[in-house]
Amino acid sequence: MQKINFIDFYGSFTIEKPENVSGLYFPLASEAGLKSSITPNLGGDAKLDQESFLLEPVSSENLHNNRSTRNFWFAPEKGRAYSAAGASASQEAFKFSENQDESSLSAGFMWQTMTRTSKQFQISTSVTSFIPRNDNVEIMYITIENQAEKPQIFTPYAAIPIYGRSADNIRDHRNVTSMLHRTDTDEKGVYVCPTMSFDEKGHRKNSRIYYCLGCTGAGENPVSFYPSVEDFIGEGGTYTLPRAVFEQYPGNPAFAKAEGKEAMGAFRFSPVTLSPGEKKDFILLFGIDENRADIDKIYQKYNSEEKIKAALSDTKTYWQNQVAVSFHTDSKDFDSLMKWVSFQPFLRRLFGCSFLPHHDYGRGGRGWRDLWQDCLSLLLLNPDDVGAMIEKNYGGVRMDGTNATIIGQGDGNFIADRNGIARVWMDHALWPFMTTKLYINQTGDVEILNRPVSYFKDAQAMRGTDTDSLWSQEQGNMQLTESGEEYKGSILEHLLIQHLTAFYEVGEHNIFRLRGADWNDALDMAPERGESVAFTCAYAGNLLELAETIRLLESRSGCSDVCLSEEIQILLNQDSDIFDNPDRKREILSEYASLCRHSVSGKRIPIPLSSLSLNLVQKANWLIDFLRKQEWLSGPEGEGWFNSYYDNHGRRVEGFFESQVRMMLTGQVFAIMSGVAEENQIKKITKSADKYLYQKETGGYRLNTDFKELKFDMGRMFGFAYGEKENGAVFSHMTVMYANALYRRGFVKEGYKALKTLADTALDFDTSHIYPGIPEYFRLDGRGMYQYLTGAASWFLMTMITEVFGVRGEAGDLLLYPKLLACQFDEKGTASISVPFAGKNFVIIYENQENKDFGSYIMEKAFCDGRELTRNDDSSVLLSRKMIDALPGDTHEILIKLK
């Protein structure tokens, strides 16, 4: 039985013999761009981007296949050698036996230390790996200690296989591209500068240098070099049995070269004699840069034990400070897990949705949803500059309500799809408002809705069903008016276009069309007749909340009107008879899309904010009533839930069939969250979800029941084995949104059950087999899959802060309305959270001495820095923005006594 042991306040942890568990890897990264994954045996890879991999790209299967790991060897004599990575032929052979090394891994935010003890060699080694926060260099800091009772002599060897090219070249001219390598050495290490980036569509001259440098902790240089793989492993040798080490090849002197071969960052140090208990340390620096002068600066910056330890301390402190929230509950392990959940959004920002072993798809970057959902956590932890980020992101919206799907580096950088008509996800218009609403609540900056932003323009037209033959790349990617000027509309206008065009794009059942897919990317085979009830519910909720936000804008701004593009008038139709007519809706949408197919008039019309709000409420209420009547399913034993989809044959996907029950979680989440589901319906939904979807042992609520069918009229998800990914796995993102929806509607115990089962499974290492954090999903046997890079983390964090601990903004004010259960308080009846808000840091302590559940306690008293606060109906406390701004200093304590 293995267990994660947390060792400090920041969630740092240890685990014994981690190499005995398959698939473990850890992320390392810098703000400058270098991204690495590293395993207990120092496998994994390192890269700047898709075109620039320092170490060979790896997928999850490579983690146990590849022998070309980072390595550091100690050879006492010919024929014998010890790997500090545990990656030698003999150490591999000794696994799972009494001769296996004793090993332990310690890790924290962006650092890993692997220690090994060998009875055979009577030594102990440690390898600490990290990437300094502002440099593109990965550092290995290696120590060896003699544990024998007599002196021992070892010859040390560094061994870093340098891949040095694009990930595409793994299966595209791998051997040919090695011929482009120009490898040379100096007294510090090995440098590889390929002559070009090989691409038959167009070769490009290369200037990037891939390097590996080394020295002892005292600054002593290597004495000889093995700059190619052939030099190092020797004829017939392997990475785990390199002849240069085992036969002690003399190697090449400094300034030797190797051209046209696979490169190797390998070199030998002078033999070291260690007395009993004596230690010796070594430093490896490997990275990517544009010129030798900058590489030399890196070397000078990190070429001693003192410099390395200072850099490691700085790295730890920097990333620890990024996670500005902490929790105190009944479980210290859960509190530590939340540190990692809070850190995961930072990893998503750095890695995008690619560049970790399970995430072996795409070419880096993030998707449209990611832009908005990753902002959720930033708004809660570090809201500075998020407003500007949000504004730039709206620049990806087209005038027809769709959006760019190819996203470049930096904020607001959207790229035209030159490969034809792009896929349209019908949920994409939903997320921007959710994020913007949180921004307004956290900051009070409702005026963001009035800020002008351009629209994205490319060849895609008519909501992705046609192309604009008049557009060319030379015209740029900004929407133009008929007179050729850039058109800008307010963010409110962007939001209205996104939601209103979705309202009119319906299928034969008057439900919003599924198009290319929704949140569930694997529902990608119903473009003609597929419909998404789940996200029709979500849009209904958004329309109501957008209407409420418009009323807030009117009250705060002092303006009664807003100027909108004249084309939008057709979408503001208030004839409710049209709402019941799918054909007429589609005609209106087609008419609007035609008006902005190529250019727009540029003319604006004033519309009263009050009538605009009423217009949205009318549409939302119609949707809610319609959905309740048409999509509710009732079971024979008091069950009930909402149908989530229609397939490409126009058939309802869920329900009670002769041989099986079909249920999906997605439709329930958004029916509850949006307010479509009434209270009595929520009770039936939770009962049904517990009966058909819940499995405690594997993480909780599955995404769907087993349809036992390859539904080629719905999506690729049904081709996956049941329990994998979107087909019936416990998909963390949707489970957390289910919990969030339940908390919002007051179903606290049910929401807590969903969150706790996820967390418990993640922390149960024997089941999940993952380092701390929330994975993308738990498969059928409970193993966590696709670690770190999941939007579930942002939603989990948001739910814990704003719902469970009840700390949330309301139009810039701070509302405290906890929904904690008795079991979440410690043995003293205390639960607390530390969180930033409005430029201040708050420590909020809840005391529940009578051990009552939410719904049973009231707020007896509340204090801020000892000063009593006014309570609202004994259930909440509101601190106005004015009051917060007037608080002196940075950190403040709020104590709330529950009774």
Side-chain angles (χ1 to χ4, degrees):
M1 180 176 181
Q2 289 180 292
K3 180 174 169 46
I4 296 286
N5 295 295
F6 293 104
I7 56 176
D8 63 22
F9 172 78
Y10 301 103
S12 303
F13 64 92
T14 64
I15 182 172
E16 303 300 312
K17 292 188 177 178
E19 66 268 35
N20 287 0
V21 179
S22 300
L24 290 179
Y25 55 86
F26 195 75
L28 306 173
S30 80
E31 294 280 15
L34 188 64
K35 299 168 279 287
S36 296
S37 60
I38 188 167
T39 71
N41 290 116
L42 309 189
D45 60 23
K47 59 270 161 181
L48 279 180
D49 51 40
Q50 178 76 5
E51 300 298 322
S52 305
F53 271 73
L54 171 63
L55 306 182
E56 181 182 308
V58 300
S59 183
S60 55
E61 279 299 297
N62 299 117
L63 299 182
H64 62 80
N65 276 341
N66 284 18
R67 293 183 285 189
S68 55
T69 67
R70 308 162 177 88
N71 215 330
F72 201 92
W73 297 84
F74 294 98
E77 59 190 357
K78 278 191 176 183
R80 296 180 69 228
Y82 181 78
S83 164
S88 73
S90 61
Q91 285 163 289
E92 179 80 11
F94 286 149
K95 279 184 72 174
F96 313 115
S97 76
E98 61 180 16
N99 293 319
Q100 180 176 349
D101 292 344
E102 293 298 322
S103 66
S104 176
L105 179 140
S106 302
F109 300 154
M110 300 299 196
W111 64 271
Q112 170 184 296
T113 297
M114 192 70 200
T115 62
R116 295 184 172 280
T117 301
S118 170
K119 296 177 183 177
Q120 180 187 6
F121 288 85
Q122 294 184 287
I123 57 173
S124 174
T125 63
S126 73
V127 179
T128 296
S129 300
F130 69 101
I131 299 177
R133 61 187 175 100
N134 285 325
D135 289 318
N136 286 327
V137 60
E138 183 179 324
I139 296 176
M140 277 175 58
Y141 178 59
I142 307 103
T143 65
I144 178 174
E145 179 182 356
N146 180 15
Q147 296 191 331
E149 295 180 355
K150 61 181 180 180
Q152 294 199 78
I153 301 174
F154 293 94
T155 302
Y157 296 82
I160 306 296
I162 297 177
Y163 175 74
R165 50 201 187 270
S166 169
D168 296 336
N169 299 131
I170 282 288
R171 283 293 300 159
D172 183 7
H173 297 87
R174 169 72 189 258
N175 182 250
V176 168
T177 51
S178 71
M179 301 174 195
L180 305 174
H181 282 180
R182 298 296 184 268
T183 307
D184 65 287
T185 63
D186 66 11
E187 67 278 2
K188 299 185 294 293
V190 179
Y191 307 80
V192 184
C193 185
T195 56
M196 66 178 70
S197 295
F198 186 94
D199 185 343
E200 290 185 316
K201 296 177 182 177
H203 306 308
R204 301 178 305 280
K205 184 178 180 180
N206 173 68
S207 61
R208 283 184 169 167
I209 302 170
Y210 306 85
Y211 65 89
C212 177
L213 313 179
C215 63
T216 68
E220 301 159 315
N221 291 329
V223 295
S224 64
F225 302 85
Y226 311 88
S228 75
V229 173
E230 292 178 12
D231 289 334
F232 183 67
I233 67 172
E235 194 69 33
T238 67
Y239 284 113
T240 56
L241 194 66
R243 296 184 68 180
V245 174
F246 280 83
E247 299 180 29
Q248 298 192 351
Y249 288 179
N252 300 288
F255 306 105
K257 299 180 182 293
E259 296 190 350
K261 297 179 180 179
E262 292 285 356
M264 192 73 195
F267 36 81
R268 175 171 58 85
F269 291 92
S270 295
V272 296
T273 301
L274 298 176
S275 301
E278 186 179 359
K279 294 181 179 180
K280 182 77 173 178
D281 51 1
F282 301 85
I283 298 164
L284 297 186
L285 311 171
F286 43 101
I288 307 173
D289 218 313
E290 296 291 331
N291 62 73
R292 293 281 281 264
D294 287 338
I295 296 172
D296 190 58
K297 290 177 183 176
I298 291 290
Y299 179 79
Q300 296 300 327
K301 191 174 181 179
Y302 301 113
N303 64 349
S304 72
E305 174 189 0
E306 293 76 15
K307 293 175 183 178
I308 292 297
K309 289 182 176 178
L312 177 60
S313 177
D314 177 74
T315 300
K316 290 181 178 181
T317 300
Y318 175 78
W319 291 111
Q320 288 166 358
N321 289 342
Q322 296 302 301
V323 180
V325 63
S326 61
F327 298 88
H328 173 75
T329 65
D330 64 305
S331 169
K332 291 182 179 180
D333 280 358
F334 175 80
D335 301 339
S336 295
L337 175 71
M338 284 308 302
K339 283 289 186 180
W340 287 97
V341 173
S342 304
F343 186 58
Q344 284 180 244
F346 293 96
L347 293 174
R348 249 263 281 254
R349 175 173 63 83
L350 295 169
F351 282 85
C353 294
S354 305
F355 298 141
L356 284 178
H358 278 104
H359 299 80
D360 55 356
Y361 45 79
R363 304 179 69 83
R366 294 176 290 169
W368 178 257
R369 281 183 222 105
D370 308 327
L371 294 181
W372 301 97
Q373 297 200 66
D374 292 350
C375 284
L376 298 176
S377 59
L378 291 177
L379 282 168
L380 297 169
L381 298 180
N382 186 16
D384 294 346
D385 301 322
V386 175
M389 187 185 305
I390 287 173
E391 288 180 44
K392 292 176 182 177
N393 286 347
Y394 274 105
V397 177
R398 296 187 183 91
M399 279 296 294
D400 66 3
T402 62
N403 55 267
T405 55
I406 302 177
I407 299 164
Q409 295 295 316
D411 298 328
N413 182 14
F414 302 99
I415 301 169
D417 178 13
R418 301 182 182 89
N419 298 320
I421 295 176
R423 184 172 164 193
V424 172
W425 283 262
M426 63 83 63
D427 67 306
H428 274 187
L430 188 81
W431 310 107
F433 175 67
M434 286 187 173
T435 299
T436 305
K437 182 173 183 290
L438 179 64
Y439 169 79
I440 292 170
N441 278 333
Q442 291 295 108
T443 65
D445 181 20
V446 70
E447 288 286 352
I448 192 175
L449 295 177
N450 286 328
R451 288 176 199 145
V453 178
S454 60
Y455 288 86
F456 182 73
K457 176 61 182 171
D458 60 2
Q460 181 170 314
M462 303 299 290
R463 290 184 63 81
T465 62
D466 205 348
T467 56
D468 175 12
S469 59
L470 299 178
W471 179 85
S472 66
Q473 185 65 56
E474 289 70 31
Q475 295 172 8
N477 292 121
M478 302 291 187
Q479 177 66 61
L480 303 179
T481 65
E482 293 170 354
S483 61
E485 297 177 351
E486 179 185 339
Y487 177 76
K488 290 187 176 182
S490 66
I491 285 179
L492 176 58
E493 183 182 283
H494 284 67
L495 288 167
L496 289 168
I497 289 173
Q498 286 182 301
H499 286 76
L500 292 172
T501 52
F503 179 80
Y504 289 99
E505 187 168 35
V506 296
E508 61 201 80
H509 301 93
N510 215 352
I511 298 297
F512 293 9
R513 287 183 60 201
L514 181 57
R515 298 295 305 274
D518 60 13
W519 168 90
N520 188 338
D521 289 329
L523 294 175
D524 56 353
M525 298 173 72
E528 291 85 14
R529 298 177 66 185
E531 297 170 70
S532 175
V533 180
F535 280 89
T536 304
C537 290
Y539 278 107
N542 260 21
L543 285 168
L544 282 179
E545 293 192 349
L546 181 54
E548 180 186 353
T549 305
I550 290 171
R551 292 194 293 271
L552 176 66
L553 175 64
E554 183 178 24
S555 67
R556 289 282 182 94
S557 68
C559 297
S560 58
D561 294 344
V562 62
C563 287
L564 302 175
S565 69
E566 68 172 2
E567 288 86 354
I568 204 174
Q569 289 181 92
I570 190 173
L571 300 177
L572 294 171
N573 195 307
Q574 291 182 279
D575 183 354
S576 58
D577 290 339
I578 291 175
F579 300 168
D580 291 311
N581 188 332
D583 291 334
R584 183 69 184 113
K585 278 184 174 177
R586 290 190 289 267
E587 288 172 4
I588 290 173
L589 180 63
S590 179
E591 185 177 344
Y592 169 76
S594 296
L595 291 174
C596 54
R597 181 188 186 104
H598 178 64
S599 59
V600 294
S601 69
K603 298 176 183 178
R604 293 180 171 86
I605 55 170
I607 297 178
L609 288 167
S610 57
S611 65
L612 193 59
S613 176
L614 286 172
N615 189 294
L616 301 186
V617 170
Q618 179 196 26
K619 289 177 170 62
N621 286 338
W622 179 87
L623 278 171
I624 289 170
D625 291 341
F626 177 75
L627 290 162
R628 286 173 179 169
K629 291 174 184 175
Q630 178 173 288
E631 300 302 334
W632 179 254
L633 305 171
S634 295
E637 299 178 13
E639 310 102 318
W641 65 87
F642 283 89
N643 174 50
S644 298
Y645 296 98
Y646 289 90
D647 65 25
N648 215 32
H649 287 97
R651 298 173 301 194
R652 180 174 285 159
V653 169
E654 294 174 65
F656 295 84
F657 298 85
E658 289 184 8
S659 59
Q660 63 178 174
V661 173
R662 292 183 173 182
M663 181 180 184
M664 303 180 82
L665 185 61
T666 310
Q668 318 328 310
V669 168
F670 292 107
I672 296 170
M673 188 181 292
S674 64
V676 170
E678 298 175 291
E679 186 167 327
N680 67 313
Q681 291 176 318
I682 298 175
K683 291 176 181 178
K684 291 184 177 182
I685 288 171
T686 56
K687 177 183 176 181
S688 302
D690 284 348
K691 181 175 181 180
Y692 296 114
L693 299 176
Y694 184 74
Q695 186 172 2
K696 180 179 180 181
E697 299 76 20
T698 58
Y701 293 94
R702 296 175 177 174
L703 204 51
N704 54 277
T705 55
D706 188 357
F707 281 33
K708 301 184 185 300
E709 178 187 354
L710 292 176
K711 279 188 69 62
F712 290 107
D713 58 0
M714 201 67 227
R716 69 176 186 263
M717 65 172 272
F718 294 101
F720 300 146
Y722 185 68
E724 293 288 350
K725 254 190 172 287
E726 290 92 344
N727 188 19
V730 175
F731 221 85
S732 299
H733 197 169
M734 194 53 67
T735 299
V736 173
M737 287 196 285
Y738 180 54
N740 181 277
L742 290 167
Y743 271 102
R744 289 192 197 187
R745 300 295 299 277
F747 285 75
V748 171
K749 290 183 178 178
E750 294 83 352
Y752 171 74
K753 178 179 178 179
L755 290 183
K756 180 171 172 55
T757 312
L758 270 183
D760 286 350
T761 306
L763 286 167
D764 179 5
F765 187 80
D766 281 339
T767 298
S768 66
H769 299 96
I770 58 172
Y771 295 144
I774 295 297
E776 182 181 280
Y777 69 92
F778 295 99
R779 70 186 191 190
L780 201 60
D781 61 0
R783 184 182 284 267
M785 303 296 291
Y786 291 72
Q787 296 96 300
Y788 305 114
L789 309 182
T790 168
S794 288
W795 274 82
F796 203 120
L797 179 63
M798 182 175 70
T799 303
M800 285 297 300
I801 294 174
T802 64
E803 295 295 335
V804 179
F805 278 83
V807 181
R808 64 178 184 267
E810 269 205 359
D813 301 331
L814 178 60
L815 177 70
L816 304 178
Y817 179 51
K819 297 176 185 175
L820 290 155
L821 296 175
C823 61
Q824 292 175 280
F825 292 84
D826 67 15
E827 67 279 0
K828 296 179 181 178
T830 298
S832 66
I833 180 174
S834 299
V835 66
F837 186 86
K840 310 284 185 181
N841 294 309
F842 289 95
V843 179
I844 301 159
I845 304 168
Y846 296 109
E847 289 186 355
N848 182 11
Q849 300 298 322
E850 297 181 17
N851 199 36
K852 290 183 176 179
D853 274 335
F854 170 78
S856 299
Y857 53 67
I858 62 171
M859 284 189 177
E860 182 184 23
K861 290 185 178 181
F863 305 89
C864 180
D865 298 334
R867 177 184 173 187
E868 189 161 2
L869 300 170
T870 302
R871 289 161 287 120
N872 303 320
D873 300 324
D874 294 329
S875 62
S876 66
V877 168
L878 186 72
L879 281 74
S880 70
R881 193 65 165 223
K882 184 177 179 181
M883 181 190 304
I884 293 171
D885 289 341
L887 290 172
D890 296 328
T891 302
H892 304 276
E893 181 180 285
I894 296 175
L895 173 63
I896 294 177
K897 296 188 176 184
L898 306 172
K899 181 179 179 183

